[in-house]
Amino acid sequence: MSKAVTRRIKGPGVTNFKSRWSEQPKGNLISDVPGKQTGEDEGERQGALKRFSAMWSSFRRGKRDRVKDSEPTELPPVLTENPSGQHRYVSGQYFFEYLVVVSLKKTKDGSSYEPQITYQFPKRDGMARFQKEEEEKTLKAITLFCFPEGINWAPLTEYHSETFSFVLTEIDGSRRNGYCRRLLPGGKGARPPEAYCIISTLACFGLFSKIFDEVEKRRQISMAMIYPFMQKLREAPFPAPGNTVEIKSFIPESGTQIISLTRPLDSWLEHVNFATLFGCLTDEEVLLVFAAAVLERRIVFIADELGTLSQVIHAVAALVYPFTWQHTLISIVPEILIDVVMAPTPYLLGVQKRLLDQVTDQSDLLVVDLSEDKKETFIHSIGDESSILPPKLQSEILEALTNRKKSSTVEETNRVVSEAFLHFFVKTVGHYNSYVKYSRAGEQGVFEKRSFYKAIDSKTTRHFVKKFIQTQMFDLFIQEVEQQQPGPQQGIFHKKILEYQEKKKKDKTRKH
């Protein structure tokens, strides 16, 4: 592979993955594709690869750049609760941009299969030439995410359908989510699976999983049945957290059905299902992964199932709330792009188990095996993961997680888990606001880092915080705070901080 090229962008310590990965190696990067390729085919694939390089930038690089430039924060469409609590819908939000069906078609020489888009709704008309070219590159990249295994497919008579997701991060920092369900199409005899992929700016895995149930039901009748359902869905307003939208849809022999789609009340957890993470790992093992993640290390997750990889990686990213993972996150790495594991900067990567031999030669990785038949969970580790978090706070997290066993729903499990880790941040860095100083009204605040960590009484907690405040996730968090004017803060994290401070005051009063 060509020599790595890195270039600084506006955030401190940020590696531009476009520079690192868009420099192509000499020869054919996708040399595992048999048969001679035409210049047009090769151009399409290279275009897709270049598109990937742009998508590998960190989750919120665009936002970080804007913070550094002191421009007004202009986020991509996000889901937030309406403070008034009166509106049932999020204004101007579509459920999705488009739905595509990706089918496996035989290559010209008939020796293998390659993924191709065979259906798209709605069709994109009236685009300028450059827009059309960019869209084609994105669609080509999507086919690789839908079938990351590459070309090694054979017709099947049985195939267990699976649902997974991925994130496309554009050069400007805007994000789109890809929700994918792979299944065996109707018919007789052996046939390759096909994938249904919904592209949306909205992050809500459970909701789109239910939409796929309806799509799959209609696909078994006829491809033509999908169109009216998706059209109704596209016209429907996206519900606010805790609210429901109803879609009327006709199915032959069943009549008109009403499909209810409800968003969870905790909108920041609606893309997460912690049950999968804790089904693969013990509570103690999750703590070790969390410890590596908060120090922004390189972590690779290994599994056979695509759904397991995507759900676990999104769950790990959610554990660091109220902070945000700032680096590369690829829930399922396509086989032809496995060289991303060589990147020197932090990442969360999902890799299928059959590719394990291509990542085990890395010495400074945490490699986590999620599969049921694993011999050991941590195939590779640095060795200090168990000593990163303060021992007392580790015990408190483990104790809080025991309440998970009493939870009966996904929402309750998500709440118990998220609060356990949220309290960890409340107790370690929840006093940050007292150390953002303002010299005069209207000016940007300044965070007094040294005074902040010196104010911590516990030696082990102070040792952890000194490391944590060097991370980009903490750095961006503080940059945003510094740009805000002093006053009451909004959000669940600040609510928990106030509750904790109030409890400390009451406990102190009782002692006296």
Side-chain angles (χ1 to χ4, degrees):
M1 185 159 183
S2 57
K3 187 178 179 181
V5 178
T6 56
R7 175 165 61 89
R8 296 281 252 192
I9 59 174
K10 294 172 185 174
V14 181
T15 301
N16 186 336
F17 270 84
K18 188 172 189 299
S19 299
R20 166 79 172 91
W21 292 104
S22 62
E23 182 176 300
Q24 299 299 328
K26 294 177 182 177
N28 188 1
L29 188 147
I30 42 177
S31 57
D32 60 344
V33 180
K36 187 176 180 181
Q37 294 180 322
T38 66
E40 183 180 350
D41 290 340
E42 175 65 10
E44 285 181 358
R45 283 187 172 268
Q46 293 298 334
L49 293 172
K50 288 180 180 179
R51 191 61 162 175
F52 269 118
S53 70
M55 294 169 181
W56 284 344
S57 54
S58 61
F59 247 162
R60 294 176 70 193
R61 189 181 74 190
K63 186 176 179 186
R64 178 168 58 245
D65 289 353
R66 287 189 285 270
V67 169
K68 273 296 196 181
D69 288 344
S70 302
E71 294 175 2
T73 301
E74 185 185 340
L75 291 172
V78 293
L79 316 179
T80 54
E81 293 193 49
N82 191 304
S84 69
Q86 296 178 1
H87 297 282
R88 292 188 59 219
Y89 305 114
V90 177
S91 176
Q93 293 284 348
Y94 282 117
F95 265 92
F96 66 97
E97 288 187 24
Y98 46 82
L99 163 77
V100 296
V101 178
V102 181
S103 304
L104 289 170
K105 298 294 184 182
K106 279 195 171 182
T107 54
K108 291 178 182 178
D109 62 5
S111 63
S112 59
Y113 289 88
E114 65 177 6
Q116 295 179 5
I117 291 177
T118 53
Y119 178 86
Q120 179 179 341
F121 171 81
K123 287 287 185 183
R124 300 268 179 141
D125 298 319
M127 289 193 295
R129 183 179 175 180
F130 79 93
Q131 290 175 316
K132 193 172 182 180
E133 288 174 353
E134 287 298 299
E135 192 72 10
E136 286 173 356
K137 289 175 185 176
T138 298
L139 292 173
K140 190 69 178 179
I142 288 168
T143 64
L144 298 181
F145 269 127
C146 289
F147 288 96
E149 299 88 344
I151 62 169
N152 302 313
W153 283 95
L156 305 166
T157 54
E158 291 184 7
Y159 182 77
H160 177 65
S161 69
E162 54 186 335
T163 306
F164 54 95
S165 64
F166 52 87
V167 176
L168 307 178
T169 305
E170 302 292 347
I171 296 173
D172 65 357
S174 61
R175 292 189 309 236
R176 288 185 288 179
N177 299 285
Y179 301 93
C180 187
R181 177 167 293 184
R182 293 202 318 204
L183 49 87
L184 206 59
K188 294 182 178 180
R191 55 213 183 273
E194 63 184 10
Y196 289 76
C197 184
I198 294 174
I199 303 299
S200 175
T201 57
L202 308 171
C204 193
F205 186 85
L207 210 60
F208 283 97
S209 185
K210 186 170 183 181
I211 290 169
F212 274 131
D213 292 341
E214 298 299 328
V215 169
E216 188 172 348
K217 191 188 300 181
R218 285 155 181 76
R219 175 66 181 91
Q220 301 307 321
I221 302 170
S222 164
M223 182 74 86
M225 292 300 303
I226 298 174
Y227 171 80
F229 170 69
M230 295 304 289
Q231 181 63 40
K232 290 258 187 177
L233 184 68
R234 188 167 168 78
E235 293 170 355
F238 191 70
N243 283 281
T244 300
V245 66
E246 294 182 340
I247 311 289
K248 289 184 179 180
S249 179
F250 177 78
I251 296 182
E253 298 182 9
S254 299
T256 300
Q257 296 182 341
I258 296 178
I259 299 139
S260 297
L261 300 170
T262 303
R263 277 184 71 192
L265 195 57
D266 295 327
S267 59
W268 60 279
L269 286 173
E270 61 190 343
H271 195 50
V272 178
N273 182 349
F274 285 121
T276 304
L277 173 64
F278 285 90
C280 296
L281 303 176
T282 65
D283 292 4
E284 291 77 9
E285 289 168 344
V286 171
L287 262 190
L288 297 182
V289 172
F290 170 71
V294 293
L295 292 191
E296 296 182 333
R297 292 182 173 178
R298 303 193 306 155
I299 309 176
V300 174
F301 295 91
I302 304 292
D304 295 307
E305 300 288 332
L306 301 182
T308 299
L309 288 174
S310 66
Q311 289 190 43
V312 165
I313 285 188
H314 286 298
V316 170
L319 289 179
V320 303
Y321 181 86
F323 305 96
T324 304
W325 180 261
Q326 295 297 321
H327 302 275
T328 301
L329 185 153
I330 308 177
S331 55
I332 301 162
V333 178
E335 182 175 359
I336 65 168
L337 300 168
I338 194 64
D339 279 350
V340 71
V341 300
M342 304 295 289
T345 50
Y347 54 59
L348 298 176
L349 301 181
V351 174
Q352 289 180 283
K353 195 163 188 176
R354 60 191 181 80
L355 302 175
L356 178 58
D357 61 340
Q358 300 190 48
V359 297
T360 53
D361 61 342
Q362 302 296 300
S363 58
D364 57 343
L365 283 178
L366 181 63
V367 181
V368 187
D369 192 346
L370 304 170
S371 53
E372 293 180 8
D373 60 348
K374 61 191 172 190
K375 293 179 181 177
E376 56 182 342
T377 299
F378 299 108
I379 299 170
H380 279 290
S381 65
I382 293 175
D384 66 343
E385 289 84 2
S386 61
S387 61
I388 291 173
L389 307 179
K392 184 182 177 184
L393 295 182
Q394 286 192 53
S395 300
E396 289 181 5
I397 294 175
L398 291 172
E399 185 180 348
L401 289 175
T402 59
N403 294 322
R404 189 181 76 256
K405 298 173 179 64
K406 304 171 189 173
S407 305
S408 58
T409 65
V410 171
E411 287 79 10
E412 287 176 5
T413 298
N414 282 354
R415 182 187 56 77
V416 169
V417 173
S418 63
E419 287 193 359
F421 289 91
L422 191 60
H423 278 295
F424 170 82
F425 289 119
V426 167
K427 292 186 175 182
T428 52
V429 296
H431 59 298
Y432 73 90
N433 213 28
S434 300
Y435 295 88
V436 179
K437 304 300 181 183
Y438 299 85
S439 57
R440 63 182 67 177
E443 285 195 359
Q444 182 172 309
V446 176
F447 179 60
E448 297 180 344
K449 185 185 294 186
R450 185 176 174 82
S451 301
F452 166 72
Y453 71 73
K454 276 190 166 292
I456 300 170
D457 294 329
S458 166
K459 186 177 179 181
T460 54
T461 301
R462 189 164 62 249
H463 181 69
F464 163 76
V465 170
K466 282 180 75 172
K467 291 182 177 179
F468 180 61
I469 60 179
Q470 303 302 319
T471 63
Q472 285 190 22
M473 67 175 81
F474 185 83
D475 184 55
L476 178 65
F477 180 86
I478 287 298
Q479 285 182 43
E480 293 176 340
V481 172
E482 287 175 331
Q483 295 206 3
Q484 296 168 3
Q485 291 304 302
Q489 301 291 315
Q490 301 294 321
I492 185 70
F493 183 48
H494 304 291
K495 180 184 175 185
K496 295 297 180 184
I497 289 172
L498 291 175
E499 290 175 359
Y500 176 64
Q501 291 173 342
E502 195 62 35
K503 183 177 180 297
K504 280 179 69 177
K505 284 180 184 177
K506 287 180 180 178
D507 290 344
K508 194 174 180 179
T509 303
R510 286 195 196 100
K511 287 179 182 178
H512 293 291

